Amino acid sequence: MSSLWRTLDGRLRRDIALVCLADALVGVSYGAIAVDAGFEFWLVLALSVLVLAGSAEFLFVGLIAAGGSPIAAMFAGLLVNARHLPFGLAVHDVIGRGWRRVLGSHLMNDESVVFALGERMFESKRAAYWACGLGILICWPVGAMIGAFVGGIVGDTDAYGLDAMFPAVLLALIFPSLRNRSTRRVALFGGVIALLATPVLPAGLPVLLALFGLVFRKKRAAE
């Protein structure tokens, strides 16, 4: 871990640390919501370690709390995590082989993939992926445990703004990229698609549809 950390420059170390901190805070919200919905502490902890996917866990807990069946909630979580298939194709070279491939696949999430794809050199790409993935592997369950403990005290987690912390940090990270006109156009197009799809699709799927913004970019480049 220390060698991976030394490979990263100061800016990237700061960004990864902020994202892991945001994940921990969102984990607090998730743990509080799950306990409030009737989930046992051990189940909240087990989901946070074994699933390690916030959107799928939030969806699973939400569907169960709304009276849905565990089977339907499980398949909904798998559907949301279907985006990991193209993720795996994009970062297969940094995951490694043998036992590292098993652990590296478990660490795959939006944040670790974004940081890896943002680097040009292979060593930096690999270090960013593993540093972010391992950081979230620690911070997310810790946040969930804290949230499960204090869930009864926090009550309405939305009132504390914990649900808005994570997207706010991600927006701060991508803000420099929006100086590029082409990137702004793609982001705007993808955002409109996600907003239109949000009222009619389960959580997580609108983000997948937003990838069609990349198709728009290719069309513009060909003009």
Side-chain angles (χ1 to χ4, degrees):
M1 182 67 182
S2 59
S3 62
L4 292 177
W5 199 248
R6 286 196 298 271
T7 304
L8 305 173
D9 58 35
R11 173 194 58 81
L12 199 52
R13 286 199 295 268
R14 179 203 61 195
D15 291 346
I16 290 175
L18 286 174
V19 166
C20 290
L21 175 61
D23 268 274
L25 293 175
V26 178
V28 172
S29 175
Y30 160 70
I33 291 172
V35 170
D36 186 58
F39 282 75
E40 298 289 342
F41 174 85
W42 68 267
L43 183 54
V44 176
L45 177 60
L47 287 172
S48 66
V49 174
L50 299 177
V51 179
L52 195 63
S55 56
E57 292 174 53
F58 268 114
L59 181 60
F60 182 84
V61 169
L63 289 176
I64 296 294
S69 72
I71 300 299
M74 181 188 70
F75 278 108
L78 289 174
L79 183 60
V80 169
N81 278 346
R83 67 188 187 280
H84 286 205
L85 294 176
F87 284 176
L89 296 175
V91 298
H92 69 92
D93 55 335
V94 304
I95 295 178
R97 297 180 182 277
W99 67 268
R100 290 186 178 84
R101 181 174 292 275
V102 177
L103 178 59
S105 298
H106 185 57
L107 298 179
M108 188 180 298
N109 51 55
D110 302 69
E111 300 89 323
S112 59
V113 171
V114 166
F115 277 117
L117 295 181
E119 298 301 307
R120 295 183 178 179
M121 303 299 293
F122 174 76
E123 288 301 324
S124 297
K125 182 182 294 187
R126 184 175 68 89
Y129 179 86
W130 282 89
C132 183
L134 290 171
I136 291 176
L137 178 63
I138 297 172
C139 292
W140 176 254
V142 169
M145 282 192 298
I146 295 173
F149 272 122
V150 302
I153 301 174
V154 171
D156 184 6
T157 54
D158 291 350
Y160 291 82
L162 294 179
D163 57 327
M165 179 64 70
F166 185 59
V169 172
L170 286 182
L171 181 61
L173 290 175
I174 68 170
F175 196 76
S177 300
L178 297 180
R179 294 172 182 169
N180 180 280
R181 184 176 181 180
S182 176
T183 303
R184 287 200 305 273
R185 184 186 301 115
V186 172
L188 178 61
F189 190 72
V192 170
I193 293 175
L195 286 175
L196 292 175
T198 295
V200 294
L201 292 179
L205 292 185
V207 177
L208 290 176
L209 287 181
L211 293 175
F212 280 103
L214 296 174
V215 177
F216 178 75
R217 182 181 185 181
K218 289 181 179 178
K219 289 182 177 179
R220 295 294 301 181
E223 290 177 354

